[in-house]
Every structure is written in C-alpha cells, then in structure tokens.
Amino acid sequence: MSYRTIAPFSLLLLITAGCSSPQGMNCQGEVKTLPGHPIGMTSAVIIDNTVAFSVLMPKQHIESGLLYSADSSRYVPSAVTKEGYLAQRLSGNRFCIINPEKNEYTIYHCQ
C-alpha cells in the first residue's frame, strides 16, 4: 500500500474513534435541601462528554446542555437545563443538579 492510500484510511480511523459514544458511569447521589439539610440518597447513570453531561434515572432523563465557565479554574462549568435545573460539572466524577422549584440539589459521586 502506498502512503496516499494509508493516510486517508488512518485519518478515518482516528475520526471514528473520536466519535465513539462515552460509557455511562454508575453514580450515587446525595439529595439535600438548598440550605444543606439531608433528604436522602438516589442513584443514576451519568454520561459525561466533558462539555456536557446526561443524567439517566428510571423516571427522568436530564441533559445539561453546553456547560460554560468564564474561567474554569475559578468557576464551576454550569448550564441551565430545559427543565430549569442548574447543572454543574464539579469534577471528572462529581456532578450536581440543582432544582430550585423543589428547594433541593443532588450531588452525584461516580466511579
């Protein structure tokens, strides 16, 4: 095979590998009131795409939308979901969904 044949094929493999869908992480969530009083525990599967994430629960599916931070070293990347929640990516394995209507938030810890 010549270089002209191998180069486009290699590029196609790299593009295809980069577009593969990320796997979900099993996560445990601590549910608290906005003042910080414990309510309970929950679980979900979170699919993290770095710039956005999805929270999959048996009765609900939340899409964060594009997360934004003016300076991610100082401010948490956040977005408002279509349901009106504030979604935050706290770290590579911690995520927060704030529900102002219910006066509660959930912080998910993933493995």
Side-chain angles (χ1 to χ4, degrees):
M1 280 189 159
S2 72
Y3 174 75
R4 287 184 165 191
T5 306
I6 293 173
F9 182 72
S10 299
L11 182 60
L12 180 62
L13 285 176
L14 286 173
I15 291 171
T16 305
C19 294
S20 62
S21 61
Q23 287 189 341
M25 299 179 281
N26 291 318
C27 308
Q28 295 299 312
E30 299 174 75
V31 184
K32 295 183 178 183
T33 65
L34 291 181
H37 303 294
I39 295 174
M41 298 294 290
T42 188
S43 62
V45 171
I46 294 185
I47 300 172
D48 181 20
N49 295 314
T50 308
V51 296
F53 64 92
S54 301
V55 180
L56 308 173
M57 297 170 283
K59 295 182 180 182
Q60 192 173 20
H61 179 150
I62 299 171
E63 296 283 341
S64 72
L66 186 61
L67 300 170
Y68 175 77
S69 177
D71 179 355
S72 59
S73 67
R74 295 176 56 192
Y75 307 111
V76 176
S78 306
V80 176
T81 70
K82 66 181 178 182
E83 297 87 359
Y85 306 146
L86 180 62
Q88 299 177 315
R89 184 177 196 274
L90 304 176
S91 71
N93 64 345
R94 292 181 63 227
F95 303 85
C96 182
I97 298 291
I98 300 169
N99 184 343
E101 191 173 294
K102 285 184 148 183
N103 192 38
E104 66 185 34
Y105 68 95
T106 305
I107 294 181
Y108 291 98
H109 302 271
C110 308
Q111 298 177 340

